[in-house]
Amino acid sequence: MSTTNAQQVEERLVEAIASFGPDASEVTRDATFEELDIDSLDLVELGQIAEDEFGVRIEPDDMKQMRTVGDAIDFVAARA
């Protein structure tokens, strides 16, 4: 597997989150999942994308700690 960088993780996760409903321009590192109306099922799907594409498993307890898009990006990028 090629080396994954934070930029690749950010681009893919922002794309995935935007596909759940919010406008892509609203999906910023500081945006909270609550502000973006991202529910628990969306977060499960986001976790599946992280695992499938970057080999990073996000446990439910990890997901509970994530409040913003940036939290998710940093978590996945640090472990990819």
Side-chain angles (χ1 to χ4, degrees):
M1 187 167 132
S2 64
T3 303
T4 302
N5 66 40
Q7 181 70 28
Q8 291 170 311
V9 171
E10 183 167 354
E11 288 172 2
R12 181 59 185 111
L13 294 187
V14 166
E15 174 187 316
I17 293 166
S19 77
F20 301 149
D23 188 88
S25 66
E26 297 174 336
V27 184
T28 64
R29 289 185 61 84
D30 294 330
T32 66
F33 294 123
E34 184 177 354
E35 292 169 341
L36 297 174
D37 201 27
I38 300 299
D39 63 23
S40 59
L41 293 177
D42 293 330
L43 291 176
V44 168
E45 188 171 343
L46 186 65
Q48 188 63 50
I49 290 167
E51 186 169 358
D52 291 348
E53 296 193 19
F54 302 109
V56 176
R57 179 150 172 75
I58 303 175
E59 299 294 337
D61 286 342
D62 298 325
M63 196 59 80
K64 289 177 187 174
Q65 302 300 318
M66 295 179 200
R67 300 283 180 241
T68 67
V69 173
D71 291 343
I73 291 167
D74 293 343
F75 182 92
V76 173
R79 289 159 178 80

